[in-house]
Amino acid sequence: MHYPLKKLPPQPILKLCISLAKKLVPGITISVHTDKQSFFLGNMSASKIVRADKPGEEVDITSHNIKEDCTLFGGEFANGNITSRRRRKILSDPAKLKQYKFDTKTVYTFDFYEFIADITSWTLPLGFVHLDLETILGKQPTVWVGKTGERYIWQGSLIHKKILSDQQSLAVVEDEDDDLIED
């Protein structure tokens, strides 16, 4: 079910934010003035860190020290000297992106750390103001989808505890690490 965004910032601030997002994340598509608002960006052009490893040689994702390594993609990446910034720029071009394929024999690691949204407080910190995401998104979750061509291959949702109803909140338990666990 889709719910329209509401209480968007004034038009000049919204235009500035969209312009800044397009500079920070090449290849992002933002549509807020349509019936179905959306934000689309490719994993390969949006991820802070991307790795491709042979099974058994994959990185320890709990190390908090994941290094970019796209050499297994071949092509421009084969020599291993392309930075994550350069990779994002290269793969934000759909024509270049089509040159690279994923396979089921390689272990892929994506680091989506993003400083633009603070998901712990459910806000967009814009320096001079913190926009409450609940005000903009309402009670709907943020949804991520994996897509190849026109085919969807996975979907994930981020539901902040602020947007859960009291009834739903009773079904959520916090563990010692403050992670949410669904009953």
Side-chain angles (χ1 to χ4, degrees), residues 15-165:
K15 277 186 165 185
L16 178 67
C17 292
I18 291 171
S19 176
L20 178 62
K22 288 182 177 186
K23 286 191 189 307
L24 292 172
V25 184
I28 191 170
T29 302
I30 300 174
S31 174
V32 293
H33 298 296
T34 64
D35 288 341
K36 286 194 173 186
Q37 297 94 350
S38 61
F39 303 86
F40 290 104
L41 54 144
N43 288 343
M44 293 299 290
S45 61
S47 297
K48 298 295 181 190
I49 303 293
V50 173
R51 288 189 60 92
D53 295 293
K54 293 178 182 172
E57 298 176 12
E58 59 269 15
V59 67
D60 175 8
I61 62 170
T62 63
S63 72
H64 303 291
N65 192 22
I66 300 172
K67 303 275 190 245
E68 180 92 6
D69 186 352
C70 294
T71 55
L72 290 182
F73 285 112
E76 295 181 66
F77 300 96
N79 62 12
N81 67 353
I82 293 184
T83 65
S84 61
R85 176 177 280 216
R86 179 80 178 122
R87 181 232 337 127
R88 288 192 305 269
K89 186 170 178 75
I90 291 168
L91 298 179
S92 66
D93 176 356
K96 290 240 184 197
L97 184 59
K98 285 182 181 179
Q99 297 172 16
Y100 299 94
K101 304 287 181 207
F102 289 94
D103 62 60
T104 58
K105 294 179 178 89
T106 304
V107 176
Y108 300 96
T109 304
F110 299 93
D111 183 345
F112 292 104
Y113 169 75
E114 187 52 66
F115 65 91
I116 294 173
D118 181 349
I119 60 170
T120 58
S121 65
W122 207 239
T123 62
L124 288 174
L126 301 175
F128 56 93
V129 67
H130 286 244
L131 297 178
D132 184 4
L133 285 170
E134 183 181 2
T135 303
I136 297 167
L137 298 173
K139 298 288 185 186
Q140 66 186 331
T142 301
V143 178
W144 284 277
V145 295
K147 188 175 170 183
T148 177
E150 294 301 315
R151 199 177 96 215
Y152 291 93
I153 55 176
W154 59 265
Q155 175 181 326
S157 298
L158 176 64
I159 303 171
H160 193 274
K161 60 186 171 184
K162 281 176 62 174
I163 67 173
L164 294 174
S165 69

